[in-house]
Amino acid sequence: MRYRLTFVAGLALGYVLGTRAGRERYEQLKKSAQQISQNPAVRNTAESAAQQGRQFAGKAYHTVTEKVHVPDSVTERVRALRDRNTNGAVEDDWGTSNT
């Protein structure tokens, strides 16, 4: 019971402090996040992580398809999505291209 009461008190305190910060603080945090996301080092790291993730997903896909029978409809859908993403370099939310 004591832990539950402590949790509720912390939740209430966080809510009160958060509402006092208000819109101005929210805008400051938003501006800081945008500046960080526009930093070239952050963008390069995000691009690198996205590329490594796509490579890992491709390897995992091949490993799974060797061991598990995947219906042809699923295989065709994955190929279509892959082709769509490689034909047109579309930027994602981080400003990195999906190539």
Side-chain angles (χ1 to χ4, degrees):
M1 182 69 179
R2 184 177 83 172
Y3 297 112
R4 196 176 281 173
L5 183 60
T6 304
F7 175 74
V8 171
L11 190 64
L13 180 64
Y15 176 77
V16 169
L17 293 176
T19 55
R20 284 191 181 169
R23 184 73 178 181
E24 182 179 331
R25 180 67 179 145
Y26 169 77
E27 292 297 332
Q28 288 175 346
L29 291 172
K30 183 178 171 184
K31 185 177 178 182
S32 295
Q34 287 175 343
Q35 288 175 344
I36 290 170
S37 69
Q38 297 301 319
N39 183 333
V42 173
R43 292 181 70 139
N44 289 340
T45 303
E47 175 98 25
S48 175
Q51 188 172 10
Q52 288 177 351
R54 285 190 290 274
Q55 289 173 351
F56 179 74
K59 289 177 185 177
Y61 171 77
H62 289 297
T63 301
V64 168
T65 55
E66 289 174 357
K67 297 183 181 201
V68 176
H69 174 68
V70 178
D72 291 334
S73 61
V74 174
T75 304
E76 290 302 317
R77 178 72 176 145
V78 169
R79 283 189 187 129
L81 290 172
R82 187 182 310 141
D83 291 342
R84 185 183 78 182
N85 286 338
T86 57
N87 289 340
V90 178
E91 286 193 357
D92 60 11
D93 292 339
W94 290 94
T96 58
S97 62
N98 291 328
T99 56

